[in-house]
Amino acid sequence: MSSFHLTQGDTPVLVSMPHAGTHLTPQVEVGLSHRGLSLIDTDWHIPRLYDFLDAQGVGRLQAKYSRYVVDLNRSADDKPLYAGATTGLFPEVDFDGEPLYRAGHAPSKDARDWALDNVWRPYHLALSEELARLRRRFGYAVLFDAHSIRSQVARLFDGQLPDINLGTNDGGSCDATLSDRLESVCAAQSSYSWVVNGRFKGGFITRHYGTPNKDVHAVQLELSQVTYMEEPREGALVDASTTFPYREREAKQVQALLIALVEELLVWRPRREPETIG
């Protein structure tokens, strides 16, 4: 099967969803622990939460495979993104530091090579080609990398995470005027806490593809899952039977803010005249 689903839009904006997938390869599935089979670190329900994109004419690139097969938001050489605790290209522990695999059952090198060639590379090829298509058509492209995470993960950050976590690689992945406009949207509301370039500054996708000098602007949003779903309490026992319910009422409320952020991406224009490619 294809490792991703691409819907092409008719605007300069593309939304990437690299951690929304839940499909497992046989070797990964058979080796996962009971806890690992819960896929707890998935960006649960992100495609559903962003179901307004079609109406806005915004394209999306959505992963099908779980990040436990290969993490699409890590570089192919697995270079660490953060100085503190994190997970790698082929995770062997979850966000809480718990082993993902039963002893001696982690995927083989051949299985990892397969995932790199058949999951990671096709996703990034599609991402780079779609951004190039948008840049040819509009003169520039805007990449919005959509993520979510539990609001409390002691291994990764202290206390409770802000609801809205925008990342621009400390200003390096997009024009400052774009970041300023997104900050203004967040500041205009009082329902959700927010931060820019806090704990999450943007992963590999944001840092690699966000090249403002080449007319590609990238922003990551790490959304606290407590804003739209029933997230497991820290330390709770989870296994393959665990579900992570979507909360319709809460989701509709945070969707209004997500819609406003994407609308800001749509109306924004680069300060310098983009170079169209014939």
Side-chain angles (χ1 to χ4, degrees), residues 10 38 60 72 81 93 103-104 153 157 187 205 240 252:
D10 56 8
S38 74
R60 72 168 74 184
L72 299 171
L81 294 170
V93 299
V153 185
F157 49 82
I205 288 174
K252 284 189 178 299

Side-chain angles (χ1 to χ4, degrees), residues 77-245:
D77 63 5
D78 205 12
K79 184 178 180 180
L81 294 170
Y82 295 99
T86 184
T87 55
L89 181 67
F90 299 104
E92 294 197 13
V93 299
D94 64 19
F95 288 167
D96 297 308
E98 296 294 329
L100 285 175
Y101 295 96
R102 294 178 287 112
H105 287 79
S108 66
K109 181 181 184 301
D110 285 346
R112 292 180 172 186
D113 287 345
W114 182 94
L116 196 62
D117 289 340
N118 295 278
V119 180
W120 192 96
R121 288 195 172 96
Y123 189 91
H124 283 275
L125 179 61
L127 182 53
S128 61
E129 288 182 345
E130 182 61 8
L131 289 172
R133 183 186 75 86
L134 295 177
R135 184 170 174 263
R136 285 195 301 271
R137 178 174 175 183
F138 298 100
Y140 69 100
V142 178
L143 174 62
F144 189 75
D145 207 38
H147 296 261
S148 72
I149 191 171
R150 285 174 284 149
S151 62
Q152 297 185 53
V153 185
R155 178 173 173 265
L156 300 185
F157 49 82
D158 295 329
Q160 183 156 332
L161 192 70
D163 299 321
I164 306 293
N165 300 266
L166 293 168
T168 65
N169 193 23
D170 287 326
S173 67
C174 73
D175 191 284
T177 60
L178 178 57
S179 180
D180 289 346
R181 293 184 71 149
L182 297 179
E183 288 188 52
S184 296
V185 172
C186 292
Q189 56 80 46
S190 58
S191 298
Y192 301 101
S193 57
W194 60 280
V195 68
V196 178
N197 292 313
R199 170 61 178 83
F200 296 98
K201 302 177 185 294
F204 171 74
I205 288 174
T206 301
R207 301 179 193 205
H208 179 72
Y209 292 98
T211 50
N213 62 324
K214 297 180 181 178
D215 299 310
V216 178
H217 304 263
V219 178
Q220 176 178 294
L221 171 57
E222 193 78 62
L223 179 65
S224 177
Q225 291 179 343
V226 74
T227 62
Y228 70 91
M229 61 174 274
E230 186 177 320
E231 61 178 30
R233 293 182 179 180
E234 193 164 12
L237 296 177
V238 295
D239 58 26
S241 66
T242 306
T243 60
F244 304 92

